[in-house]
Amino acid sequence: MSDQKVEIIDEVTVRFAGDSGDGMQLAGSQFTNNTALAGHDLSTLPDYPAEIRAPAGTVFGVSGFQIHYSSSEIKTPGDAPDVLVAMNPAALKVNLPELKSSATIIVNTSSFDNKHLKLAGYENNPLEDDTLKGYNVIHVPMTQLTQDALEKVAISTKERERSKNFFALGLTFWLFSRDLTPTLDWIDAKFDGKPKLQEANKRALRAGYHFGEMKEIFSTRYVVEKAKLKKGKYRNVSGNEATALGFVAAAMKAKLELFLGSYPITPASEILQELSALKRFGVKTFQAEDEIAAICATIGASFTGALAITTTSGPGLALKTEATGLGVMTELPLVIVDVQRGGPSTGLPTKTEQADLLQALYGRNGEAPVCVLAAATPADCFYMAIEASRFALKYMTPVILLTDGYLANGSEPFRIPDESEIPEFPVEFRTDPKDFQPYARDINLSRPWAVPGTKGLEHRLGGLEKSHIYGNVSHVPENHEFMVRLREEKIMNIRQDIPDLEVVYDQDADVLVLTWGSSFGAATEAIRRIRKSGKKIAHAHLRYIFPTPKNMKDVLERFKTVVIPELNLGQLARVIRSEFLIEPKQINKVQGLPFKAIEIETELNKILGEQ
C-alpha cells in the first residue's frame, strides 16, 4: 500500500462487460448513481445483447455498460474506455477493439477456462500470448474470490456466483477512490426482507474493495474531482425517466389528469413502467393488448379531457398510423412518443437509430400533418415532453416526440427545476353552449375542446371528413380541400411558439454543423475539439423538426457548407434538400450504435480541408 500513489485526473471512461446474466447493467448503474452523488458530470451508454437469451459465454450474449465522467462538462459516454472490466473471454473479445491502446483491463481469470475460451471463439488463451500486449492487464479470479468471501453465507452456489458483479464493482470503487456507502444503502433497500442476499451482496462488494486495498496489483489509484455544475439540486436521470417526469410536470402545469395508453415495446417500455408508479400524481396508465388499441384508447382519453399520451418504438409507430390520422381528423390533442430503434421491421430492438424521421413526418395516408419534435439529451427529454404537451393542447393536434434507444437508456445529471421555472399552460374547455360548433376556430385555428357530458355541447367526432365549423360528415370536394389546407395552416401556426434556430460558436465560419436528436452530444464534442485546433466551425441543433423555426432558411443560407450527421442514411438531409434547396454534406452511420465524437471529428476535418 505504501508504494501506491493517488493521481488526480480530469475524466475517465469505464466499461463493465460480461455475459447477459453477469449483472453488468446493475454494476454499471450503481457505479453511475455513486458517480452522480459524488458530484461529477457524466454520460452513460448501456449496451444490451441484440438476442434474447443468447447462448451463455458467446459473443452474442455480451452485455456492456459504459460510463464517462469528469470534473468538467461532458456530452458523450466516451469514445474509447480507459478501463475495461471483462467478466469472461467473450466480453474481452467483443470489447478489445474499442479500447484505448494503453487501457487497463481487469480480467475475471476464473472464467478463462477451455470451455469459455471455446465459446468465445478463442483458439488460444489471450492472457497467455501477445493478444493483450501494450495493455495494463490485471488478473483477478473474481468468481473464485466471491465464492470464498461468501462461503459462510447460507445461499446456493449459484447465488454466490451471481454476486461476482458486486465484487467487480467494489474493486472498481477502490480503484477510483469511491465511497461504498451509497451502494450499501441501496443493497439494504433492494433486498429488504431478504437478509441473506443483503449480506451476500454487501460482503461481495466489500471483498472487491478490500482486495484492491490489500493486494498490490495496482500501482495507482485515481480521483476525479467534483464537476463545477450550475447551482441546484441534481439527480441522475435516464431519457425514459425524464420523459415520464416531463409528462407529469406538463399535466400539472396544464391542470389536467395524465393518461398513458401503451403497449410494451423495447426501448420505450420503461416510460410505461415509470408512469405506472406515479398514480399519486393523478396518472392513469393502460397497458393495451396491441399498439392500435393503445393509441385508440389514448384518443378516447383525449376526447374526455385528459392530457393523453402513447409511447412506442418504430414498429409500433407504423401500427399507430391510421389512428394518428384519426387524431388529425378529430383534431384532438395527443402526444406520441417514438423511442427509435434499429429497423426495419423488428430490426434491432436493443439498439439505437434515428431512422424514423421520415415516418414521423410523412407516414400517414392522405394529407395529415402533425407537429414533430426531437429531444437532444436524456435530460432534454423532460423539457421536450413538456413542449410536446403544450403544443398538442394549444393547437388541438397530435404531436410526435422523437427520442431513441441511446437517449432512453443513457443517463446524465439532471438539475431539478424549480416549479416557477416551468410556465403554466392551463386548458380552457368550452362550457358555454351559446353558438357552439365543434369545428369553429380560434385565433390559432384550433377548434374548441368540449368534454363529453357538458350540457348543450353534444357533438360527435370520427374519421370521415368534416364540414368546416359544423363538423358534419362532408363529401363536398371543395370542403375537403379547404379542410386539408386549414389543418396544414394550423400546424404551421405552431411556428409562432417555436424559438429561432440558434447558431453557436463561430458565426463567421464557412461550415455549419446541423444536428438533431441524439447526434447532439457527439457533434458538440467533435466541434469543441476542432475549434481547439484553431479551425472555425459553427453548430446549430434542431429540436423543432416540423414545423421548422421561422429563421431556418436564413440560417442555412448564411453558410457555404451545411453538414448533417445522423444515425440513418440521410433523412434530415433529404428534407433540407427538398424544402430549402440546399445540398448538405452528410455524415451517416447505421450500426445500431451512437456516434463517437472521433467519427464526426474525422469527417468534419475532411470537409474543412476541402474548403
Side-chain angles (χ1 to χ4, degrees):
M1 284 293 295
S2 59
D3 294 331
Q4 292 172 337
K5 64 178 182 179
V6 176
E7 181 180 340
I8 297 176
I9 56 178
D10 181 60
E11 61 181 342
V12 68
T13 300
V14 180
R15 181 180 296 179
F16 297 88
D19 194 73
S20 57
D22 283 340
M24 294 296 94
Q25 301 301 323
L26 178 57
S29 64
Q30 282 303 304
F31 193 92
T32 299
N33 291 339
N34 189 295
T35 300
L37 289 170
H40 303 296
D41 196 14
L42 64 90
S43 180
T44 68
L45 175 62
D47 187 19
Y48 302 93
E51 293 187 20
I52 299 175
R53 295 182 181 175
T58 66
V59 294
F60 306 108
V62 172
S63 176
F65 190 105
Q66 182 165 308
I67 174 172
H68 177 205
Y69 70 100
S70 174
S71 59
S72 55
E73 184 184 35
I74 57 174
K75 295 295 183 183
T76 75
D79 283 354
D82 300 287
V83 176
L84 170 68
V85 179
M87 301 302 288
N88 61 15
L92 177 65
K93 188 170 189 177
V94 167
N95 291 283
L96 190 59
E98 301 287 323
L99 303 182
K100 291 181 179 177
S101 57
S102 58
T104 293
I105 305 175
I106 303 174
V107 181
N108 176 21
T109 55
S110 297
S111 65
F112 277 70
D113 53 26
N114 290 333
K115 174 187 174 183
H116 286 92
L117 290 169
K118 185 177 180 180
L119 284 169
Y122 278 118
E123 294 183 3
N124 301 304
N125 191 335
L127 305 182
E128 298 174 354
D129 57 24
D130 292 332
T131 301
L132 303 181
K133 186 176 181 180
Y135 296 102
N136 177 28
V137 184
I138 308 298
H139 297 235
V140 184
M142 297 186 207
T143 305
Q144 185 58 53
L145 290 171
T146 304
Q147 292 279 8
D148 293 345
L150 306 185
E151 184 179 5
K152 295 182 180 180
V153 182
I155 57 175
S156 67
T157 301
K158 185 177 181 179
E159 287 174 321
R160 291 193 190 102
E161 182 177 346
R162 289 178 63 185
S163 299
K164 65 182 180 290
N165 62 331
F166 277 97
F167 185 98
L169 181 61
L171 179 57
T172 312
F173 278 165
W174 178 86
L175 180 61
F176 292 103
S177 308
R178 310 306 290 272
D179 182 10
L180 297 182
T181 304
T183 301
L184 291 171
D185 291 343
W186 179 88
I187 291 171
D188 281 336
K190 175 68 175 178
F191 299 101
D192 185 30
K194 300 177 181 179
K196 292 178 181 178
L197 291 180
Q198 281 179 332
E199 182 183 0
N201 286 305
K202 290 164 77 170
R203 281 198 181 193
L205 183 72
R206 290 190 176 107
Y209 189 92
H210 294 312
F211 180 84
E213 191 172 46
M214 302 302 296
K215 301 290 183 179
E216 297 184 1
I217 56 176
F218 294 97
S219 60
T220 306
R221 295 177 73 189
Y222 301 96
V223 172
V224 178
E225 295 183 332
K226 288 184 177 182
K228 297 177 179 62
L229 300 173
K230 183 178 178 180
K231 187 177 180 180
K233 186 175 183 179
Y234 286 79
R235 60 159 291 183
N236 186 52
V237 68
S238 71
N240 277 342
E241 290 172 331
T243 301
L245 293 173
F247 283 123
V248 174
M252 296 181 72
K253 290 297 180 177
K255 295 179 171 52
L256 297 176
E257 289 191 342
L258 178 64
F259 177 89
L260 169 65
S262 186
Y263 177 77
I265 183 172
T266 304
S269 299
E270 287 81 7
I271 302 175
L272 171 61
Q273 294 165 8
E274 290 290 330
L275 286 175
S276 67
L278 298 175
K279 295 182 178 65
R280 63 188 182 278
F281 294 107
V283 178
K284 293 183 174 65
T285 54
F286 167 58
Q287 181 174 320
E289 65 269 28
D290 57 44
E291 296 282 4
I292 299 171
I295 189 172
C296 288
T298 303
I299 291 172
S302 177
F303 187 40
T304 64
L307 171 55
I309 62 174
T310 185
T311 53
T312 190
S313 185
L317 186 62
L319 291 168
K320 295 180 189 292
T321 295
E322 183 183 3
T324 304
L326 176 62
V328 171
M329 181 68 76
T330 58
E331 299 189 51
L332 285 168
L334 170 70
V335 180
I336 305 165
V337 181
D338 176 15
V339 186
Q340 300 167 94
R341 74 189 202 190
S345 187
T346 308
L348 305 172
T350 64
K351 305 299 180 180
T352 195
E353 209 161 88
Q354 289 179 275
D356 293 349
L357 178 60
L358 295 181
Q359 180 181 347
L361 288 171
Y362 309 120
R364 290 163 294 284
N365 63 297
E367 296 289 344
V370 301
C371 179
V372 179
L373 309 178
T377 68
D380 190 46
C381 291
F382 174 84
Y383 293 101
M384 295 312 290
I386 295 173
E387 196 77 331
S389 303
R390 184 170 71 91
F391 287 173
L393 295 171
K394 182 173 181 178
Y395 293 93
M396 295 292 287
T397 182
V399 176
I400 295 177
L401 173 59
L402 297 173
T403 70
D404 60 40
Y406 167 50
L407 297 181
N409 296 316
S411 63
E412 65 178 349
F414 170 58
R415 188 184 71 84
I416 301 172
D418 187 88
E419 186 179 348
S420 62
E421 295 178 47
I422 304 172
E424 295 186 351
F425 44 94
V427 170
E428 293 185 9
F429 291 108
R430 179 63 183 258
T431 56
D432 184 2
K434 184 180 179 181
D435 300 326
F436 169 72
Q437 296 295 345
Y439 279 81
R441 305 284 165 176
D442 65 12
I443 191 173
N444 301 311
L445 299 183
S446 301
R447 73 171 192 82
W449 196 4
V451 175
T454 305
K455 188 175 181 180
L457 301 184
E458 294 82 0
H459 64 288
R460 61 181 180 179
L461 297 174
L464 294 175
E465 183 61 278
K466 301 294 183 291
S467 65
H468 179 43
I469 298 181
Y470 303 104
N472 299 319
V473 173
S474 173
H475 300 290
V476 176
E478 292 79 8
N479 177 76
H480 175 55
E481 180 165 345
F482 178 85
M483 293 296 284
V484 163
R485 292 184 182 277
L486 188 66
R487 288 188 290 263
E488 181 183 43
E489 185 180 354
K490 181 181 71 168
I491 296 300
M492 299 311 294
N493 281 346
I494 296 175
R495 274 185 167 166
Q496 66 191 9
D497 280 325
I498 292 176
D500 281 349
L501 182 64
E502 182 183 8
V503 178
V504 296
Y505 305 124
D506 302 306
Q507 304 294 322
D508 59 342
D510 290 334
V511 175
L512 172 72
V513 181
L514 178 65
T515 55
W516 74 275
S518 63
S519 59
F520 170 79
T524 299
E525 180 61 29
I527 291 166
R528 286 177 177 175
R529 295 176 188 176
I530 288 171
R531 294 185 71 246
K532 281 183 179 179
S533 71
K535 299 173 184 176
K536 288 187 175 182
I537 193 167
H539 181 206
H541 185 77
L542 190 62
R543 287 178 171 84
Y544 302 87
I545 309 292
F546 188 81
T548 54
K550 294 186 292 292
N551 68 331
M552 182 83 170
K553 189 173 189 294
D554 292 339
V555 167
L556 297 179
E557 290 181 345
R558 278 170 45 195
F559 298 89
K560 291 181 180 179
T561 303
V562 176
V563 185
I564 302 178
E566 46 186 334
L567 297 175
N568 56 49
L569 295 181
Q571 295 190 14
L572 179 61
R574 183 176 298 181
V575 172
I576 296 299
R577 191 178 295 116
S578 64
E579 294 293 327
F580 300 100
L581 303 182
I582 290 172
E583 186 60 45
K585 290 186 178 294
Q586 300 176 202
I587 301 175
N588 303 111
K589 178 179 180 179
V590 195
Q591 299 176 11
L593 297 170
F595 278 115
K596 295 180 179 178
I598 188 63
E599 294 170 333
I600 296 179
E601 180 186 3
T602 299
E603 294 303 313
L604 288 178
N605 274 321
K606 290 179 183 177
I607 293 168
L608 288 166
E610 295 170 358
Q611 297 299 309

